[in-house]
Amino acid sequence: YVLRFTFSLLPMDITTLAQLVLSGLLLGAIYALAAAGLNLVFGVMRVVNVAHCDLMMLGAYITILLYEGLDLNPLLSLLISVPILFGLGWLIQRVLVHRVVNQPHLMSLILMWGLSLVIINAGLFFWTANTRSVPYLTGGIPLGEVVLSRSRGVAFVGAAVISIAVWLFLQHSK
């Protein structure tokens, strides 16, 4: 038997397409910032850091804990979560990563994959797999027929500012 698959594009109006493009661009800025971090770590230290996004997850959970436990504004919680993750990153660098810096890439990949598994399973243990979010900056800003998500807009601006700052730092430093 021969299976035949046919793909048909559903008719899509221009408003839906514009909304999808806008949402994709806003989310893409966050992915670009994460990719820049991965690229920076690999470019400087030659370490394949597959635990990069898992550390971002820890930052998100710290924000949720501060919001739910202390009723702290999620943007202000960055003043706490960023130093905590900086310290954790420094500790991971000092205890684990420095051992594989000049080793073959496979060594850093295995080490960071193991660290990723530890972080993921610790997250599952402490916070379960339930989806969580912080109800902050909900809703959207209408731009004609298209709606700009407030939370993604703020994340886009933050990611753009950090990306430009890192680029400027790399361009004007040795």
Side-chain angles (χ1 to χ4, degrees):
Y1 294 96
V2 176
L3 297 175
R4 291 186 185 191
F5 295 100
T6 58
F7 296 97
S8 64
L9 296 174
L10 298 174
M12 184 182 307
D13 62 2
I14 194 71
T15 303
T16 305
L17 180 62
Q19 183 68 55
L20 290 171
V21 168
L22 178 64
S23 296
L25 287 173
L26 294 176
L27 186 58
I30 297 168
Y31 290 155
L33 183 61
L38 286 170
N39 190 21
L40 190 60
V41 169
F42 184 75
V44 172
M45 298 185 349
R46 296 289 187 220
V47 171
V48 182
N49 186 4
V50 294
H52 188 76
C53 291
D54 303 319
L55 292 168
M56 291 171 59
M57 176 208 56
L58 282 180
Y61 275 115
I62 290 170
T63 298
I64 289 172
L65 288 174
L66 292 171
Y67 178 78
E68 291 175 350
L70 301 176
D71 200 30
L72 186 63
N73 182 309
L75 294 177
L76 290 178
S77 72
L78 291 174
L79 298 174
I80 297 171
S81 62
V82 168
I84 289 172
L85 284 174
F86 180 84
L88 180 61
W90 179 84
L91 184 67
I92 290 169
Q93 162 63 26
R94 287 289 179 205
V95 173
L96 299 173
V97 175
H98 80 91
R99 299 169 190 258
V100 296
V101 168
N102 290 318
Q103 302 297 321
H105 297 312
L106 184 60
M107 299 301 288
S108 66
L109 177 66
I110 292 170
L111 172 71
M112 298 312 284
W113 185 37
L115 180 63
S116 173
L117 290 174
V118 168
I119 293 171
I120 289 170
N121 285 301
L124 286 171
F125 179 78
F126 289 111
W127 295 295
T128 72
N130 297 337
T131 303
R132 290 187 171 80
S133 66
V134 175
Y136 184 72
L137 293 173
T138 58
I141 301 167
L143 304 172
E145 296 290 321
V146 179
V147 178
L148 173 69
S149 167
R150 286 189 176 131
S151 59
R152 284 196 180 174
V154 169
F156 175 85
V157 169
V161 167
I162 292 170
S163 296
I164 291 169
V166 168
W167 180 78
L168 287 171
F169 175 76
L170 292 174
Q171 291 298 314
H172 301 291
S173 67
K174 291 182 182 183

